[in-house]
């Protein structure tokens, strides 16, 4: 089923990593530098490794990266990594996907746009500050803000902003599962980090959302 002129879609919710930008290189460098210089851990975090982990909740990422540490230490170290990451991303904006701003400009003229991501508190704000894209989004939520997982945060955005028929744009199976749980159609950003077998619709680049979501009739 395609989104068409007959569909009553009234809003779009986005994931961040693998959907709006690819921060894995900048984050990998920031985490590796922090771990070596401050924690004296001889560990190299690669962008490839992060691609397999992004989209998961932070405690799960910490457990995968630091299995030998206690749970308390895992959370302390990953939190410090995230602070280093925020500073790095504010100095060096991560690469945005092709024609992203043009896409957001056109979409935000037609629909309210939102962000729901499985990230730490402050990360979405860093994305908005680094890109200057705050003007395109009406609101955002993440587990770091609410303590809730993605499905619950999608539902909360829907409730808080009285959305009737949103769609969600993301790139991983975790995004797809969250949408299924929240009852929101999922558009798969196939250029991102994951694979999804049965999405509502597929895009190869952000600009594909324009013909999909905006009627030209």
């Amino acid at each position: 089923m395609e989104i068409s002129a007959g569909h009553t879609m009234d809003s779009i919710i986005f994931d961040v990593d693998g959907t709006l930008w690819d921060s894995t290189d900048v984050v990998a460098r920031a985490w590796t530098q922090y771990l070596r210089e401050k924690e004296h851990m001889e560990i190299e975090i690669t962008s490839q490794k992060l691609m397999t982990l992004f989209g998961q909740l932070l405690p799960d990422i910490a457990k995968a990266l630091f299995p030998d540490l206690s749970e308390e230490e895992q959370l302390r170290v990953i939190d410090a990594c995230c602070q280093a990451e925020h500073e790095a991303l504010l100095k060096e904006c991560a690469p945005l996907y092709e024609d992203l701003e043009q896409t957001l400009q056109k979409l935000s003229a037609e629909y309210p746009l939102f962000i729901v991501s499985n990230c730490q508190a402050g990360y979405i704000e860093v994305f908005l500050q680094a890109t200057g894209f705050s003007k395109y989004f009406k609101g955002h939520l993440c587990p770091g803000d609410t303590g809730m997982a993605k499905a619950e945060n999608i539902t909360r955005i829907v409730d808080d902003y009285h959305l009737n028929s949103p769609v969600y744009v993301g790139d991983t199976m975790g995004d797809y599962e969250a949408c299924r749980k929240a009852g929101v159609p999922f558009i798969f950003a196939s250029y991102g980090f994951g694979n999804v077998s049965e999405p509502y619709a597929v895009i190869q680049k952000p600009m594909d959302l324009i013909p999909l979501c905006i009627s030209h009739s």
Side-chain angles (χ1 to χ4, degrees), residues 134-182:
S134 292
K135 58 189 174 233
Y136 301 125
F137 294 95
K138 300 289 186 198
H140 54 80
L141 279 180
C142 69
D145 297 329
T146 65
M148 299 187 297
K150 185 165 273 180
E152 288 73 26
N153 284 326
I154 291 171
T155 301
R156 184 153 158 191
I157 284 274
V158 170
D159 291 344
D160 286 356
Y161 291 91
H162 311 293
L163 309 179
N164 292 316
S165 52
V167 296
Y168 185 94
V169 184
D171 68 307
T172 66
M173 201 62 198
D175 294 338
Y176 171 76
E177 295 291 356
C179 288
R180 209 165 63 162
K181 203 168 166 189

Side-chain angles (χ1 to χ4, degrees), residues 13 16 18 50-51 88 99 103 108 118 123 159 194 196 207 209 211 216:
I13 308 169
V16 178
L50 289 181
M51 281 181 196
D99 296 325
T103 303
S108 64
N118 261 357
Y123 184 77
D159 291 344
V196 174
M207 199 53 102
L209 287 167
H216 296 289

Side-chain angles (χ1 to χ4, degrees), residues 11-14 104 107-108 111-115 136-139:
S11 48
I12 306 172
I13 308 169
F14 287 90
L104 294 175
L107 292 174
S108 64
Y111 303 103
L113 308 182
F114 303 91
I115 293 175
Y136 301 125
F137 294 95
K138 300 289 186 198

